[in-house]
Structure formats: C-alpha cells, structure tokens
Amino acid sequence: MFVLGIETSCDETAAAVVKDGREIFSNIVSSSLRFHKKYWGIVPEIAFRKQLETITQVVDCALKEASVSLEDIKLVAVTDGPGLLGSLLVGISFAKAISLARGIPFLGVNHLYSHIYASCLNRNILGLPFVALIVSGGHTSLYYVKDFFEIALLGSTQDDACGEAFDKVAKILKLDYPGGPIIEKLARNGNSKRIRFGCSNTKNPLDFSFSGVKTAVLYYVQKNLKVSSAAQYSMQNRQYNKLVWDICASFQEVVLNTLIDKSLLACKIKKTKNLVIGGGVAANKRLREKFTQKAKERNLNIFFPAKEYCMDNAAMVAGLGYRLFKKGWRSNLKLSAVLE
Ligand code: KG4
Ligand code: ZN
C-alpha cells in the first residue's frame, strides 16, 4: 500500500512515497534554511511563506520520483504538530485537499513520534517495547514505546532543547546556523577535557536542562575569548582556533554524556534492552559512536535512523501514518495544528 507523507512543521517542505510503512520510493526535502541564517534562527513568517511557495512542486516531485500517480496513493499522512502554526497549516490543508479531491483517507501524525519511527524505515521491525530518545532543535524527550499507538513520556527538557543549545553555543562563538554540524566538525580537532562544563541537575532524573551549560559557555567565552566576527575564526590564528575547538569539544562531550546517562537510566528503570535514537542531533557522529560503545558495554540493542532520516523528512511521516492507519486510525476535516 502506497502512502504519501507530507511534513511541513518548520523550515523543511517535505514529501515522500513509502510502501507498506518501510520501503521508500521517494523522499524529497526542500529547506528554506538559507533565508533564516542571518537571523540565527527560524523566522516563522518566512518559513510559512516558503512552505506555500514550495509545497505543490515538492509533492509533485515525490510522486514523479516514485513513478506513481495520485491514483496509486491509498493514504495521505501529514504532520499535525508540534511545530510552527503557519507551516503546519500548509501541509495539513494540502493533505485535506488531496484527500477530498481523490476520495482517499488522510491522517495527522505527531512529529516527534515520527522521529521515533524513522529507525523503522528500510529495516525489519524493531524490538518492542523500547526506550526512545528524541533530540531535535525544538525538543529533547525520553519515551517508553510499547507500540506506536502506546507511547508514554518519561522526561523532557525543562528549558532549551539539545539542538537549540548547539545552535546557541554556535551563535555565542559566531560560527554558523544551525550550530550542530559546525560544532561537531570543530570539536573533532578539540580537547574535550580542557574545560569542565556541566549540565544542571533536574528534579526528575529523566528530565533535561541545557540552559545552564549554554550560559557557562557564554561566561567562559566572555572571559577568555574575544569574539568579534565570524571572520575571526577563519583567520590563521592558531591559538584562537585551538580554544574554539576545545570549547566545542568540551561542550559537546558534556551534552552527549548527559544524553547517554539519562537514556541508559530510562532503559534500566523500564527494564528494556532496546534503545532508539532520533531527531536532528542524532545525525552527530560522535553521539552515534559514544552511544554505540555504551550500548555494547551494557548489552543493549541500539537503533539509529540513516542520517538523511534524522533530519525532518516525510518518509518517517508516511511510515508512521501507515502503521497507525493499519490500527484503524483516521483523521477528519476538523483536523488542525497541534502546537505542543
Ligand atoms: O529534527 P530537526 O531536523 O528539526 C527539528 O525538528 O527541530 O533538528 C534540527 C536540530 C538543529 O538544532 C541542529 O543544530 C541539530 O538538529 N543538528 C545537530 C547536528 N545536525 C543537526 N546537532 C548536533 N550535531 C549535528 N551533527
Ligand atoms: Zn524534527
């Protein structure tokens, strides 16, 4: 059964055709990221306008690349939240229009749950139940997944999301937006033991807090590094560059250690041997290495999506939509955006 997935929760306009929840026939992602860079963050109004301009072409492209027509599509699955209101409404309205015009069902799916589902794409079924860690630009959460229609929240961030902390630290260092990829790259040359940053404790040990470590980086930079412009980093100033690398490495390491400790604790509490990671930050190579190593030591099975399915995409939406549809889930025309 062919499902058309649509994802427009933030700056990506994405559409995908997926067969039977796993086999990806096409996966098209168009991002308006370059229009937001100079603001060091996503501007909702720009994201919304770009979604409107792009959605028709992206869906068309996904169908063409999959060599299927709308007649072959038996379900439209669309992200209904959380995300930016205007952006979400573009995808939801488009899905409703296809559903009405073709007389086929459509289904709204949760963006964070679809990040969990991303690890199921192109592979055999994951061991259930499992603990899932979702680390993205807007969310950091731990879940206990009995099945995709029975998901319980174990903990979440009390302030900044993990990806947001990467983005803010990159801004403090005047590097680039989004911050994750550039911090990962610079951290490779750095000494992660040079500076002792720490993540704040939380009342619920499965919650997260990243605003303290971000502020610690800010104070350290104000005291030890004169950051005046992005050009400064690219200058052949070895001492300056070395300190930036070490800050990136020290920050990244403490954040990853926190993610690992809490995920392993969740597995212990829920007595499960299966751990699934998803969301944009899961693209980080160091994260994947460290998690894989720790999982091996603890005899846990660990699952990551392929890198292209860590970032926002519609294949994960089509996949989760299929799974829920098979369980009898449907949406009706009253469906609206769910912001939180
Ligand atoms: O899941 P995603 O594509 O969008 C949201 O739903 O938020 O995640 C985007 C976030 C950004 O904050 C970005 O800095 C972070 O993922 N990110 C990374 C890496 N690649 C993207 N963080 C750390 N290391 C990376 N390699
Ligand atoms: Zn996302």
Side-chain angles (χ1 to χ4, degrees), residues 9 111-112 115 136 279-280 310-312 316:
S9 65
H111 179 67
L112 300 168
H115 271 304
S136 72
C310 287
M311 314 305 280
D312 288 351
M316 63 186 190

Side-chain angles (χ1 to χ4, degrees), residues 154-207:
L154 301 174
S156 59
T157 183
Q158 302 299 293
D159 38 59
D160 291 346
C162 184
E164 191 181 357
F166 272 90
D167 296 340
K168 287 180 176 170
V169 165
K171 186 178 178 193
I172 291 167
L173 293 168
K174 296 217 165 34
L175 295 171
D176 196 6
Y177 178 82
I182 179 86
I183 288 185
E184 177 186 357
K185 188 171 154 217
L186 300 183
R188 267 181 229 143
N189 307 313
N191 171 7
S192 63
K193 297 199 170 67
R194 174 156 172 191
I195 311 151
R196 284 198 156 268
F197 296 124
C199 283
S200 320
N201 289 330
T202 50
K203 214 165 132 197
N204 167 5
L206 298 183
D207 279 341

Side-chain angles (χ1 to χ4, degrees), residues 66-247:
S67 301
V68 299
S69 71
L70 269 182
E71 279 94 81
D72 301 312
I73 301 294
K74 300 293 175 249
L75 171 73
V76 185
V78 61
T79 305
D80 62 6
L84 304 173
L85 178 62
S87 291
L88 285 167
L89 288 177
V90 173
I92 292 172
S93 309
F94 207 85
K96 284 180 184 175
I98 296 176
S99 162
L100 263 181
R102 303 287 334 152
I104 52 173
F106 80 101
L107 179 59
V109 306
N110 179 289
H111 179 67
L112 300 168
Y113 297 176
S114 63
H115 271 304
I116 302 176
Y117 189 89
S119 285
C120 294
L121 294 167
N122 284 337
R123 81 148 62 91
N124 290 328
I125 197 136
L126 301 176
L128 285 164
F130 58 79
V131 162
L133 170 73
I134 298 304
V135 265
S136 72
H139 296 85
T140 304
S141 308
L142 274 166
Y143 298 96
Y144 181 59
V145 182
K146 275 197 185 161
D147 207 325
F148 283 94
F149 31 84
E150 222 183 321
I151 299 178
L153 182 67
L154 301 174
S156 59
T157 183
Q158 302 299 293
D159 38 59
D160 291 346
C162 184
E164 191 181 357
F166 272 90
D167 296 340
K168 287 180 176 170
V169 165
K171 186 178 178 193
I172 291 167
L173 293 168
K174 296 217 165 34
L175 295 171
D176 196 6
Y177 178 82
I182 179 86
I183 288 185
E184 177 186 357
K185 188 171 154 217
L186 300 183
R188 267 181 229 143
N189 307 313
N191 171 7
S192 63
K193 297 199 170 67
R194 174 156 172 191
I195 311 151
R196 284 198 156 268
F197 296 124
C199 283
S200 320
N201 289 330
T202 50
K203 214 165 132 197
N204 167 5
L206 298 183
D207 279 341
F208 300 87
S209 168
F210 294 112
S211 81
V213 64
K214 168 206 68 190
T215 309
V217 172
L218 175 68
Y219 290 159
Y220 185 89
V221 167
Q222 283 173 344
K223 201 167 157 210
N224 298 287
L225 196 72
K226 292 257 169 296
V227 189
S228 57
S229 72
Q232 193 154 5
Y233 175 75
S234 57
M235 287 186 333
Q236 294 308 307
N237 180 345
R238 269 208 63 81
Q239 232 179 342
Y240 179 93
N241 288 357
K242 177 78 179 83
L243 186 51
V244 171
W245 297 341
D246 292 347
I247 293 170

Side-chain angles (χ1 to χ4, degrees), residues 250-270:
S250 302
F251 161 76
Q252 177 175 268
E253 210 65 7
V254 70
V255 168
L256 299 187
N257 287 341
T258 303
L259 295 176
I260 291 171
D261 290 348
K262 291 183 184 254
S263 304
L264 296 185
L265 178 61
C267 287
K268 194 171 161 199
I269 292 172
K270 299 310 288 182

